[in-house]
mmCIF file of all heavy atoms in Angstrom:
data_model
loop_
_atom_site.group_PDB
_atom_site.id
_atom_site.type_symbol
_atom_site.label_atom_id
_atom_site.label_comp_id
_atom_site.label_asym_id
_atom_site.label_seq_id
_atom_site.Cartn_x
_atom_site.Cartn_y
_atom_site.Cartn_z
ATOM 1 N N MET A 444 51.652 -101.014 84.860
ATOM 2 C CA MET A 444 50.294 -101.565 84.887
ATOM 3 C C MET A 444 49.619 -101.211 86.205
ATOM 4 O O MET A 444 50.254 -101.237 87.256
ATOM 5 C CB MET A 444 50.353 -103.087 84.732
ATOM 6 C CG MET A 444 50.945 -103.532 83.403
ATOM 7 S SD MET A 444 51.562 -105.223 83.405
ATOM 8 C CE MET A 444 53.130 -105.063 84.219
ATOM 9 N N ALA A 445 48.343 -100.888 86.125
ATOM 10 C CA ALA A 445 47.575 -100.566 87.334
ATOM 11 C C ALA A 445 47.271 -101.853 88.092
ATOM 12 O O ALA A 445 46.961 -102.887 87.482
ATOM 13 C CB ALA A 445 46.286 -99.853 86.960
ATOM 14 N N CYS A 446 47.386 -101.792 89.420
ATOM 15 C CA CYS A 446 47.124 -102.978 90.233
ATOM 16 C C CYS A 446 46.510 -102.542 91.567
ATOM 17 O O CYS A 446 46.398 -101.351 91.843
ATOM 18 C CB CYS A 446 48.408 -103.771 90.476
ATOM 19 S SG CYS A 446 49.604 -102.920 91.526
ATOM 20 N N GLU A 447 46.140 -103.517 92.386
ATOM 21 C CA GLU A 447 45.705 -103.226 93.747
ATOM 22 C C GLU A 447 46.936 -103.067 94.637
ATOM 23 O O GLU A 447 48.063 -103.179 94.171
ATOM 24 C CB GLU A 447 44.797 -104.363 94.249
ATOM 25 C CG GLU A 447 43.458 -104.415 93.522
ATOM 26 C CD GLU A 447 42.501 -105.401 94.169
ATOM 27 O OE1 GLU A 447 42.653 -105.680 95.381
ATOM 28 O OE2 GLU A 447 41.615 -105.911 93.459
ATOM 29 N N TYR A 448 46.713 -102.816 95.934
ATOM 30 C CA TYR A 448 47.840 -102.618 96.869
ATOM 31 C C TYR A 448 48.647 -103.911 96.971
ATOM 32 O O TYR A 448 48.207 -104.888 97.573
ATOM 33 C CB TYR A 448 47.293 -102.216 98.238
ATOM 34 C CG TYR A 448 48.339 -101.597 99.147
ATOM 35 C CD1 TYR A 448 48.207 -100.290 99.606
ATOM 36 C CD2 TYR A 448 49.461 -102.319 99.553
ATOM 37 C CE1 TYR A 448 49.160 -99.704 100.428
ATOM 38 C CE2 TYR A 448 50.417 -101.754 100.371
ATOM 39 C CZ TYR A 448 50.264 -100.449 100.808
ATOM 40 O OH TYR A 448 51.213 -99.895 101.631
ATOM 41 N N ALA A 449 49.849 -103.924 96.357
ATOM 42 C CA ALA A 449 50.666 -105.142 96.278
ATOM 43 C C ALA A 449 51.534 -105.303 97.526
ATOM 44 O O ALA A 449 52.117 -104.333 98.020
ATOM 45 C CB ALA A 449 51.538 -105.100 95.040
ATOM 46 N N LEU A 450 51.631 -106.528 98.029
ATOM 47 C CA LEU A 450 52.476 -106.847 99.196
ATOM 48 C C LEU A 450 53.582 -107.828 98.858
ATOM 49 O O LEU A 450 54.604 -107.882 99.543
ATOM 50 C CB LEU A 450 51.613 -107.426 100.330
ATOM 51 C CG LEU A 450 50.558 -106.496 100.940
ATOM 52 C CD1 LEU A 450 49.719 -107.266 101.953
ATOM 53 C CD2 LEU A 450 51.204 -105.294 101.596
ATOM 54 N N CYS A 451 53.372 -108.677 97.828
ATOM 55 C CA CYS A 451 54.392 -109.653 97.445
ATOM 56 C C CYS A 451 54.257 -109.924 95.948
ATOM 57 O O CYS A 451 53.201 -109.665 95.354
ATOM 58 C CB CYS A 451 54.257 -110.941 98.257
ATOM 59 S SG CYS A 451 52.578 -111.585 98.298
ATOM 60 N N SER A 452 55.329 -110.425 95.334
ATOM 61 C CA SER A 452 55.316 -110.600 93.876
ATOM 62 C C SER A 452 56.355 -111.618 93.463
ATOM 63 O O SER A 452 57.293 -111.926 94.219
ATOM 64 C CB SER A 452 55.603 -109.261 93.189
ATOM 65 O OG SER A 452 56.896 -108.812 93.560
ATOM 66 N N LEU A 453 56.198 -112.129 92.224
ATOM 67 C CA LEU A 453 57.231 -112.984 91.626
ATOM 68 C C LEU A 453 57.017 -113.056 90.121
ATOM 69 O O LEU A 453 55.929 -112.781 89.611
ATOM 70 C CB LEU A 453 57.230 -114.386 92.251
ATOM 71 C CG LEU A 453 55.953 -115.224 92.270
ATOM 72 C CD1 LEU A 453 55.697 -115.911 90.932
ATOM 73 C CD2 LEU A 453 56.074 -116.297 93.343
ATOM 74 N N PHE A 454 58.114 -113.420 89.411
ATOM 75 C CA PHE A 454 58.034 -113.706 87.987
ATOM 76 C C PHE A 454 57.665 -115.176 87.836
ATOM 77 O O PHE A 454 58.263 -116.045 88.479
ATOM 78 C CB PHE A 454 59.388 -113.463 87.318
ATOM 79 C CG PHE A 454 59.641 -112.039 86.926
ATOM 80 C CD1 PHE A 454 60.295 -111.170 87.790
ATOM 81 C CD2 PHE A 454 59.256 -111.558 85.677
ATOM 82 C CE1 PHE A 454 60.550 -109.856 87.433
ATOM 83 C CE2 PHE A 454 59.502 -110.247 85.321
ATOM 84 C CZ PHE A 454 60.142 -109.393 86.190
ATOM 85 N N VAL A 455 56.690 -115.445 86.978
ATOM 86 C CA VAL A 455 56.345 -116.829 86.652
ATOM 87 C C VAL A 455 57.485 -117.399 85.805
ATOM 88 O O VAL A 455 58.055 -116.674 84.981
ATOM 89 C CB VAL A 455 55.001 -116.870 85.874
ATOM 90 C CG1 VAL A 455 54.677 -118.289 85.416
ATOM 91 C CG2 VAL A 455 53.888 -116.316 86.741
ATOM 92 N N PRO A 456 57.883 -118.684 85.998
ATOM 93 C CA PRO A 456 58.951 -119.270 85.167
ATOM 94 C C PRO A 456 58.715 -119.006 83.686
ATOM 95 O O PRO A 456 57.611 -119.217 83.172
ATOM 96 C CB PRO A 456 58.864 -120.760 85.499
ATOM 97 C CG PRO A 456 58.334 -120.794 86.897
ATOM 98 C CD PRO A 456 57.395 -119.633 87.015
ATOM 99 N N GLY A 457 59.756 -118.499 83.025
ATOM 100 C CA GLY A 457 59.631 -118.072 81.634
ATOM 101 C C GLY A 457 59.625 -116.569 81.500
ATOM 102 O O GLY A 457 59.838 -116.028 80.410
ATOM 103 N N ASP A 458 59.355 -115.860 82.614
ATOM 104 C CA ASP A 458 59.421 -114.389 82.693
ATOM 105 C C ASP A 458 58.436 -113.682 81.760
ATOM 106 O O ASP A 458 58.637 -112.529 81.399
ATOM 107 C CB ASP A 458 60.845 -113.883 82.397
ATOM 108 C CG ASP A 458 61.849 -114.389 83.410
ATOM 109 O OD1 ASP A 458 61.432 -114.713 84.530
ATOM 110 O OD2 ASP A 458 63.053 -114.486 83.063
ATOM 111 N N ARG A 459 57.355 -114.389 81.368
ATOM 112 C CA ARG A 459 56.360 -113.749 80.508
ATOM 113 C C ARG A 459 55.177 -113.217 81.308
ATOM 114 O O ARG A 459 54.433 -112.377 80.821
ATOM 115 C CB ARG A 459 55.866 -114.739 79.450
ATOM 116 C CG ARG A 459 56.937 -115.096 78.438
ATOM 117 C CD ARG A 459 56.392 -116.016 77.378
ATOM 118 N NE ARG A 459 57.429 -116.364 76.407
ATOM 119 C CZ ARG A 459 57.232 -117.149 75.360
ATOM 120 N NH1 ARG A 459 56.015 -117.659 75.143
ATOM 121 N NH2 ARG A 459 58.211 -117.428 74.527
ATOM 122 N N GLN A 460 54.967 -113.761 82.494
ATOM 123 C CA GLN A 460 53.890 -113.311 83.367
ATOM 124 C C GLN A 460 54.450 -112.995 84.751
ATOM 125 O O GLN A 460 55.520 -113.482 85.135
ATOM 126 C CB GLN A 460 52.790 -114.383 83.521
ATOM 127 C CG GLN A 460 52.038 -114.708 82.257
ATOM 128 C CD GLN A 460 52.679 -115.845 81.468
ATOM 129 O OE1 GLN A 460 53.559 -116.534 81.983
ATOM 130 N NE2 GLN A 460 52.260 -116.024 80.228
ATOM 131 N N ILE A 461 53.690 -112.183 85.486
ATOM 132 C CA ILE A 461 54.035 -111.906 86.884
ATOM 133 C C ILE A 461 52.790 -112.124 87.737
ATOM 134 O O ILE A 461 51.663 -112.007 87.242
ATOM 135 C CB ILE A 461 54.562 -110.458 87.077
ATOM 136 C CG1 ILE A 461 53.539 -109.427 86.596
ATOM 137 C CG2 ILE A 461 55.909 -110.269 86.419
ATOM 138 C CD1 ILE A 461 53.889 -107.993 86.953
ATOM 139 N N ILE A 462 53.015 -112.480 89.001
ATOM 140 C CA ILE A 462 51.910 -112.681 89.938
ATOM 141 C C ILE A 462 52.118 -111.757 91.136
ATOM 142 O O ILE A 462 53.230 -111.688 91.682
ATOM 143 C CB ILE A 462 51.823 -114.146 90.410
ATOM 144 C CG1 ILE A 462 51.560 -115.071 89.217
ATOM 145 C CG2 ILE A 462 50.724 -114.321 91.455
ATOM 146 C CD1 ILE A 462 51.467 -116.534 89.578
ATOM 147 N N LEU A 463 51.057 -111.062 91.536
ATOM 148 C CA LEU A 463 51.100 -110.182 92.707
ATOM 149 C C LEU A 463 50.137 -110.702 93.767
ATOM 150 O O LEU A 463 49.042 -111.165 93.450
ATOM 151 C CB LEU A 463 50.660 -108.758 92.347
ATOM 152 C CG LEU A 463 51.443 -107.986 91.290
ATOM 153 C CD1 LEU A 463 50.872 -106.583 91.162
ATOM 154 C CD2 LEU A 463 52.916 -107.904 91.644
ATOM 155 N N GLY A 464 50.562 -110.585 95.031
ATOM 156 C CA GLY A 464 49.670 -110.828 96.161
ATOM 157 C C GLY A 464 49.285 -109.494 96.758
ATOM 158 O O GLY A 464 50.149 -108.633 96.993
ATOM 159 N N THR A 465 47.992 -109.269 96.995
ATOM 160 C CA THR A 465 47.537 -107.927 97.376
ATOM 161 C C THR A 465 47.037 -107.876 98.818
ATOM 162 O O THR A 465 46.823 -108.902 99.463
ATOM 163 C CB THR A 465 46.397 -107.459 96.447
ATOM 164 O OG1 THR A 465 45.239 -108.244 96.729
ATOM 165 C CG2 THR A 465 46.786 -107.611 94.991
ATOM 166 N N LYS A 466 46.826 -106.662 99.277
ATOM 167 C CA LYS A 466 46.374 -106.420 100.645
ATOM 168 C C LYS A 466 44.947 -106.927 100.877
ATOM 169 O O LYS A 466 44.557 -107.238 102.002
ATOM 170 C CB LYS A 466 46.442 -104.913 100.924
ATOM 171 C CG LYS A 466 46.505 -104.556 102.392
ATOM 172 C CD LYS A 466 46.779 -103.075 102.556
ATOM 173 C CE LYS A 466 46.952 -102.714 104.019
ATOM 174 N NZ LYS A 466 47.255 -101.284 104.190
ATOM 175 N N SER A 467 44.172 -106.997 99.795
ATOM 176 C CA SER A 467 42.791 -107.472 99.911
ATOM 177 C C SER A 467 42.695 -108.994 99.823
ATOM 178 O O SER A 467 41.587 -109.542 99.837
ATOM 179 C CB SER A 467 41.930 -106.831 98.827
ATOM 180 O OG SER A 467 42.445 -107.142 97.543
ATOM 181 N N GLY A 468 43.834 -109.688 99.701
ATOM 182 C CA GLY A 468 43.835 -111.150 99.653
ATOM 183 C C GLY A 468 43.707 -111.731 98.272
ATOM 184 O O GLY A 468 43.474 -112.936 98.111
ATOM 185 N N LYS A 469 43.871 -110.925 97.229
ATOM 186 C CA LYS A 469 43.722 -111.418 95.858
ATOM 187 C C LYS A 469 45.084 -111.746 95.248
ATOM 188 O O LYS A 469 46.103 -111.183 95.631
ATOM 189 C CB LYS A 469 43.017 -110.372 94.991
ATOM 190 C CG LYS A 469 41.576 -110.098 95.391
ATOM 191 C CD LYS A 469 40.936 -109.148 94.394
ATOM 192 C CE LYS A 469 39.461 -108.920 94.695
ATOM 193 N NZ LYS A 469 39.241 -108.024 95.821
ATOM 194 N N LEU A 470 45.057 -112.647 94.262
ATOM 195 C CA LEU A 470 46.219 -112.911 93.404
ATOM 196 C C LEU A 470 45.926 -112.289 92.053
ATOM 197 O O LEU A 470 44.873 -112.564 91.453
ATOM 198 C CB LEU A 470 46.439 -114.414 93.239
ATOM 199 C CG LEU A 470 47.134 -115.163 94.377
ATOM 200 C CD1 LEU A 470 47.113 -116.654 94.105
ATOM 201 C CD2 LEU A 470 48.568 -114.688 94.571
ATOM 202 N N GLN A 471 46.833 -111.427 91.578
ATOM 203 C CA GLN A 471 46.655 -110.799 90.271
ATOM 204 C C GLN A 471 47.731 -111.305 89.320
ATOM 205 O O GLN A 471 48.922 -111.267 89.643
ATOM 206 C CB GLN A 471 46.733 -109.271 90.390
ATOM 207 C CG GLN A 471 45.554 -108.668 91.146
ATOM 208 C CD GLN A 471 45.500 -107.155 91.011
ATOM 209 O OE1 GLN A 471 46.475 -106.461 91.277
ATOM 210 N NE2 GLN A 471 44.353 -106.635 90.618
ATOM 211 N N ILE A 472 47.305 -111.786 88.154
ATOM 212 C CA ILE A 472 48.232 -112.327 87.149
ATOM 213 C C ILE A 472 48.266 -111.356 85.971
ATOM 214 O O ILE A 472 47.217 -111.040 85.386
ATOM 215 C CB ILE A 472 47.797 -113.735 86.684
ATOM 216 C CG1 ILE A 472 47.628 -114.672 87.893
ATOM 217 C CG2 ILE A 472 48.809 -114.310 85.696
ATOM 218 C CD1 ILE A 472 46.974 -115.999 87.566
ATOM 219 N N PHE A 473 49.476 -110.872 85.619
ATOM 220 C CA PHE A 473 49.659 -109.932 84.513
ATOM 221 C C PHE A 473 50.506 -110.581 83.420
ATOM 222 O O PHE A 473 51.418 -111.356 83.710
ATOM 223 C CB PHE A 473 50.378 -108.664 84.982
ATOM 224 C CG PHE A 473 49.571 -107.803 85.914
ATOM 225 C CD1 PHE A 473 49.602 -108.018 87.285
ATOM 226 C CD2 PHE A 473 48.801 -106.761 85.437
ATOM 227 C CE1 PHE A 473 48.879 -107.234 88.155
ATOM 228 C CE2 PHE A 473 48.065 -105.957 86.299
ATOM 229 C CZ PHE A 473 48.102 -106.193 87.652
ATOM 230 N N GLU A 474 50.200 -110.220 82.162
ATOM 231 C CA GLU A 474 51.038 -110.630 81.039
ATOM 232 C C GLU A 474 51.905 -109.444 80.647
ATOM 233 O O GLU A 474 51.386 -108.330 80.432
ATOM 234 C CB GLU A 474 50.172 -111.064 79.862
ATOM 235 C CG GLU A 474 50.992 -111.675 78.747
ATOM 236 C CD GLU A 474 50.113 -112.288 77.667
ATOM 237 O OE1 GLU A 474 49.065 -111.695 77.351
ATOM 238 O OE2 GLU A 474 50.469 -113.351 77.165
ATOM 239 N N LEU A 475 53.217 -109.670 80.533
ATOM 240 C CA LEU A 475 54.140 -108.555 80.287
ATOM 241 C C LEU A 475 54.129 -108.096 78.838
ATOM 242 O O LEU A 475 54.318 -106.908 78.565
ATOM 243 C CB LEU A 475 55.567 -108.957 80.692
ATOM 244 C CG LEU A 475 55.811 -109.131 82.191
ATOM 245 C CD1 LEU A 475 57.263 -109.456 82.453
ATOM 246 C CD2 LEU A 475 55.427 -107.878 82.962
#
Side-chain angles (χ1 to χ4, degrees):
M444 298 160 281
C446 68
E447 291 189 25
Y448 197 118
L450 296 175
C451 49
S452 62
L453 55 80
F454 276 92
V455 175
D458 298 336
R459 292 183 180 181
Q460 295 90 12
I461 57 171
I462 298 180
L463 300 183
T465 70
K466 201 171 184 178
S467 59
K469 294 185 176 76
L470 281 173
Q471 292 192 307
I472 306 170
F473 292 88
E474 188 172 39
L475 291 183

